[in-house]
Amino acid sequence: MENFSEVLSIFLSVDNFIAIAAGVLIGVVVGAIPGLTATMAVALALPFTFSMEPVTAILLLVGIYKGGMYGGSITAILIRTPGSPASACTLLDGYPLAQQGHAKKALKAALYSSCVADVISNVALIFFAAYLAKIALNFGPPEYFWLICFSLTIIISISGDSIVKGLIAAGLGIIVSNIGLDAVYGSQRLTFDNYNLMDRISFVPLLIGLFAIPEIIEFYTSKVVPHVRSAVSGASLTLAECKRSLKSVIRGSLIGVIIGAIPGTGATAAAFISYSEAKRNSPNKHNFGKGEVEGVAAAEAGNNGVAGATLIPLLSLGIPGDVITAIILGAFMIHGLTPGPVLFQENLSLVYALFCGILLSSVVLLVVGNAAIRYFSLIADIPKAILLPIVLMFCVYGAYAVNNSTFDIGLMMVFGLLGFVFNRTGIAAAPFLIGFILGPMFEDNLRRTLLISKGDPLVFFRGPIAWFFIALTVASLLFAVRRYWKSRKVPATA
Amino acid sequence: MKQTDINHSEYHGRVNPNSMLGAALVILACIFIFYLVPQYIEVSGMVKNPMMSPRFLPLLAGWMVLLCSLILLVNGLLWPPKHTEAEAFHAGIPKLRWVLMLAAGAVYTMLFEQLGAITSGVIATFMLFLAHHLRHFSIYLLALLFPVVVSLLFIYLLNVPLPAGMLWE
């Protein structure tokens, strides 16, 4: 009871409600603008959270994440341009519906299925995160070492077209994460006697540089694309259509939850699996791909079911499931919190206040999403030529805000150029970020294990939990490589 | 026959980007492993186990980059990538456009403290609007308005002390 009142005292604050509403709104708006991604929005919002309470800060970022997931589907339906890769599946039926004059129906189906999936995903998070954290309390440094190794295997899943390029990016991320003073011996690593580099590379300039600046450079170094106007028209969703789609939505949500809880699998896979399952089981399977409401609902349920579930490994084990949760992990650290079992032990009230906020965000998504459908044309019709200079201003001010230093602005520009080079050479930026975040964790747990065992490497192979994670790492590697080869074979044979 | 010619022209006579990237990364990785790590990462005399050394992880990552770069280099030579639509999309961009973009970046990077957040924001935003040949005068008013609003937002709402610049101090 005492804990309950503490949770309420943390959660029931005006700031939290504003953060959730603002977060979802920003997410939907950014997600709805082609070329701007939810990842970019979360990265840009991070500097704004410095002066906030930890719960408020995390809720703002989670709100943007969830809003961005839905926002991406709006452009997929209206102008056949998915705001995020996860929304690519939504356009298969969403765009044909819009062309038939049923854009409103498609948008409503996407919104309602997103909200249902989000609630199911949040409930799964609340039930499973605490259990997993309880198990993780038995982990020592060797178990954590293997857990980090397992997490590193997500690099393969997020490497894009080339595993080799993904590994190069991850290696570069690990190297950059090593710049600064060594945590154990205090020796300088690649600082070149520059005092700005002694305290490691700041997370925020790196993040903004890698995910926001390349979009801006890309825009000014590409041909001008005519601005596409959008229109929301047609009748709304009927109750009969809702009922018809319900089964697919629930199935898709559960698929999203399972896939989201596995690090590195991602919302795109969940959306496509959910869609294909819905198609396989639907009585209207012949209409899929031609403008079927159930198809839109299934795809959106799949990709939004992932949102809450990706927070399960983050909160309970302290490992990120995708790029956005990697940024949220960074936000936890900036606020002096380390996600994982210790967070449940020492800040249980904070965790449950977060859960309350995350649940509330689903309701807010419903309200904001409805408004977005109505006023969407106004939002999406802001040309990039006006929007991106303002985004750059936010980037610069945000990078400066970390240490009140122009060095960080320069750092952001350097990482922006690196991100641009990555874009042009087909290297995914996400493995770089994962390497940057997990590199120090890997080193820390490796050293702690060796210190405890006085240098005996056999300690890494003692105990069933260590072997469980070794098996999981190997299986994850094999599965990811197999999926990669399969995905390469499909276009080759097509 | 015609089909063969088209496919041949897609590959022939082009510098292979993957091989170039691989070669550049091989050189950079070698500089890192054989020069930067020995010169710029100190190892304390207390370190007994090489896996505990401050050089262990950077070297591990460096070797991984070197190995993958070699694979990329060889892979690029064996299977040259095709000419893509994206390359045509990036060709023939007016010089002024990206020069103004670079200038705006330079204003932010080098003159942010000297000019102040608002002035540098106004100049850079103005340059970027100009780079895109925006014609409406009212849009250029936004270049004045937005830096002021965003700066005030940072200073008063988020308590971030942005530089006022030498002109105003």
Side-chain angles (χ1 to χ4, degrees):
Chain A
M1 194 62 201
E2 197 183 309
N3 271 347
F4 183 67
S5 60
E6 206 181 324
V7 170
L8 288 184
S9 73
I10 298 173
F11 171 64
L12 292 175
S13 114
V14 180
D15 290 355
N16 289 345
F17 290 96
I18 294 173
I20 295 168
V24 173
L25 183 67
I26 294 167
V28 172
V29 170
V30 173
I33 298 169
L36 303 191
T37 59
T39 312
M40 182 180 174
V42 175
L44 273 176
L46 194 53
F48 285 88
T49 67
F50 293 161
S51 57
M52 294 177 186
E53 290 294 318
V55 173
T56 315
I58 305 298
L59 287 178
L60 177 79
L61 300 180
V62 171
I64 296 175
Y65 180 21
K66 293 188 169 194
M69 292 284 256
Y70 168 67
S73 69
I74 299 179
T75 43
I77 291 167
L78 292 179
I79 54 175
R80 208 168 183 264
T81 309
S84 63
S87 308
C89 191
T90 309
L91 70 78
L92 294 179
D93 279 290
Y95 186 64
L97 272 170
Q99 278 189 313
Q100 291 157 22
H102 301 301
K104 197 172 184 182
K105 198 185 282 284
L107 286 168
K108 291 264 180 186
L111 176 65
Y112 296 149
S113 54
S114 295
C115 291
V116 172
D118 201 36
V119 171
I120 292 174
S121 190
N122 292 340
V123 171
L125 165 72
I126 293 165
F127 277 104
F128 293 116
Y131 279 111
L132 211 57
K134 207 173 168 186
I135 296 167
L137 278 173
N138 300 318
F139 294 2
E143 286 81 13
Y144 264 109
F145 172 79
W146 285 114
L147 181 63
I148 302 294
C149 288
F150 168 57
S151 312
L152 281 168
T153 61
I154 74 167
I155 287 166
I156 296 173
S157 320
I158 55 174
S159 287
D161 292 339
S162 164
I163 290 183
V164 173
K165 287 181 180 175
L167 289 174
I168 289 172
L172 293 175
I174 293 171
I175 289 170
V176 170
S177 77
N178 279 303
I179 295 172
L181 289 182
D182 182 86
V184 174
Y185 300 104
S187 52
Q188 291 189 30
R189 291 203 284 195
L190 307 165
T191 58
F192 308 102
D193 292 327
N194 184 333
Y195 74 94
N196 287 302
L197 294 173
M198 297 283 181
D199 195 23
R200 298 198 162 182
I201 297 282
S202 296
F203 181 61
V204 175
L206 178 134
L207 197 63
I208 297 175
L210 220 52
F211 291 99
I213 300 292
E215 295 295 331
I216 298 168
I217 304 177
E218 198 67 51
F219 179 72
Y220 285 97
T221 51
S222 306
K223 280 182 184 164
V224 180
V225 180
H227 186 65
V228 183
R229 287 190 163 259
S230 47
V232 179
S233 58
S236 192
L237 198 67
T238 62
L239 193 65
E241 284 165 332
C242 284
K243 275 184 182 168
R244 204 177 70 205
S245 307
L246 191 64
K247 238 184 190 175
S248 292
V249 170
I250 292 172
R251 190 192 305 112
S253 308
L254 294 175
I255 289 169
V257 167
I258 294 165
I259 288 177
I262 304 165
T265 330
T268 313
F272 277 99
I273 295 172
S274 168
Y275 181 83
S276 65
E277 280 304 302
K279 189 178 178 182
R280 207 163 56 90
N281 293 297
S282 173
N284 298 325
K285 61 179 86 172
H286 58 277
N287 203 28
F288 272 65
K290 296 171 191 160
E292 172 58 48
V293 171
E294 200 179 338
V296 175
E300 278 300 297
N303 85 44
N304 280 273
V306 167
T310 47
L311 295 171
I312 296 174
L314 176 74
L315 288 176
S316 57
L317 304 171
I319 57 168
D322 60 10
V323 187
I324 297 185
T325 45
I327 300 172
I328 296 174
L329 173 64
F332 268 103
M333 288 169 171
I334 286 168
H335 286 275
L337 299 165
T338 310
V342 181
L343 187 73
F344 279 81
Q345 245 183 350
E346 293 175 358
N347 296 86
L348 190 67
S349 308
L350 184 142
V351 174
Y352 277 93
L354 263 181
F355 287 162
C356 293
I358 289 169
L359 270 178
L360 182 67
S361 66
S362 307
V363 182
V364 175
L365 179 64
L366 186 67
V367 177
V368 172
N370 260 317
I373 291 172
R374 199 171 303 166
Y375 301 110
F376 171 72
S377 304
L378 297 172
I379 301 163
D381 282 344
I382 304 171
K384 271 190 178 179
I386 296 173
L387 202 66
L388 289 181
I390 297 160
V391 170
L392 178 64
M393 195 172 18
F394 273 100
C395 293
V396 172
Y397 290 7
Y400 181 84
V402 184
N403 298 312
N404 295 336
S405 153
T406 46
F407 181 80
D408 284 340
I409 298 178
L411 211 58
M412 177 193 76
M413 294 294 186
V414 169
F415 284 113
L417 277 176
L418 182 73
F420 175 67
V421 172
F422 278 3
N423 272 358
R424 284 288 170 98
T425 51
I427 298 177
F432 184 95
L433 183 69
I434 297 295
F436 181 79
I437 289 179
L438 293 183
M441 290 186 186
F442 174 89
E443 187 178 44
D444 186 38
N445 285 293
L446 174 76
R447 285 172 162 184
R448 278 165 60 191
T449 309
L450 289 171
L451 275 175
I452 292 167
S453 67
K454 292 179 182 149
D456 178 13
L458 287 176
V459 72
F460 287 106
F461 305 99
R462 276 181 207 149
I465 303 173
W467 276 108
F468 172 73
F469 282 119
I470 293 170
L472 217 54
T473 307
V474 174
S476 174
L477 273 174
L478 292 175
F479 178 71
V481 171
R482 184 172 161 264
R483 203 174 49 180
Y484 174 77
W485 282 115
K486 264 179 125 178
S487 71
R488 278 180 75 95
K489 267 185 186 173
V490 170
T493 51
Chain B
M1 185 63 197
K2 199 180 175 185
Q3 187 64 38
T4 317
D5 287 346
I6 291 166
N7 286 341
H8 184 69
S9 69
E10 277 177 339
Y11 296 102
H12 186 69
R14 297 183 61 239
V15 181
N16 187 323
N18 276 355
S19 293
M20 276 180 65
L21 179 70
L25 283 168
V26 165
I27 295 167
L28 288 175
C30 286
I31 293 172
F32 178 76
I33 294 166
F34 301 111
Y35 176 70
L36 290 179
V37 170
Q39 289 291 319
Y40 292 99
I41 300 185
E42 302 159 7
V43 180
S44 154
M46 297 150 64
V47 180
K48 300 269 187 320
N49 190 330
M51 284 167 86
M52 295 284 288
S53 164
R55 286 181 186 170
F56 175 72
L57 189 60
L59 276 177
L60 186 72
W63 280 107
M64 186 172 91
V65 172
L66 179 62
L67 185 74
C68 291
S69 307
L70 279 170
I71 295 172
L72 197 64
L73 178 73
V74 175
N75 197 44
L77 289 173
L78 293 176
W79 295 284
K82 286 183 185 177
H83 185 79
T84 62
E85 280 177 24
E87 285 171 56
F89 187 69
H90 294 303
I93 307 303
K95 255 186 195 161
L96 186 70
R97 198 145 158 240
W98 57 264
V99 167
L100 280 170
M101 180 200 68
L102 284 179
V107 166
Y108 277 133
T109 314
M110 292 180 224
L111 301 171
F112 192 67
E113 275 186 340
Q114 285 85 345
L115 294 176
I118 295 178
T119 314
S120 54
V122 169
I123 295 171
T125 310
F126 190 84
M127 280 174 167
L128 291 174
F129 282 171
L130 207 63
H132 209 77
H133 297 296
L134 293 176
R135 288 197 183 94
H136 293 284
F137 175 72
S138 55
I139 287 170
Y140 286 91
L141 285 178
L142 290 177
L144 277 175
L145 186 71
F146 271 108
V148 176
V149 173
V150 177
S151 296
L152 294 178
L153 183 82
F154 267 84
I155 295 166
Y156 293 107
L157 204 72
L158 304 166
N159 295 322
V160 175
L162 293 175
M166 285 193 284
L167 286 171
W168 317 105
E169 275 173 357

